[in-house]
Amino acid sequence: MFLPVYPSQGSMFVIDISATGKTSESVVDEMLKRGFFIRAASYTTRRYAERYVRTSFAIPKPQVEQFAIEFPHVFES
């Protein structure tokens, strides 16, 4: 995984998940189970729908830190 636009001045990150073998929708579903709402790229583009997820970090720092712990676990199975 990597951030194709980094550094960014925004409060959102696009994360390229294309090399993980996971679909963006499955990542969104798994993160929702873990208490985080992120978006699949399919809501903005059909061309790259399975390649990206979008996250927003306009949340308190402890929640960002918890996201950083939980997000990699989605790709372990």
Side-chain angles (χ1 to χ4, degrees), residues 4-76:
V5 180
Y6 183 82
S8 172
Q9 298 299 316
S11 64
M12 292 178 255
F13 286 102
V14 172
I15 303 171
D16 187 319
I17 61 164
S18 60
T20 67
K22 297 278 188 179
T23 67
S24 58
E25 294 294 335
S26 70
V27 173
V28 168
D29 290 344
E30 186 61 33
M31 287 304 291
L32 193 56
K33 291 175 189 173
R34 296 167 185 264
F36 293 93
F37 177 73
I38 63 174
R39 301 290 304 258
S42 59
Y43 85 101
T44 58
T45 177
R46 289 184 184 181
R47 183 175 183 182
Y48 300 110
E50 292 306 320
R51 186 172 188 117
Y52 301 104
V53 293
R54 188 189 87 170
T55 62
S56 175
F57 293 117
I59 56 176
K61 185 177 177 179
Q63 289 175 317
V64 173
E65 292 168 341
Q66 189 62 38
F67 176 90
I69 292 168
E70 295 292 334
F71 190 70
H73 293 299
V74 171
F75 302 92
E76 291 176 347

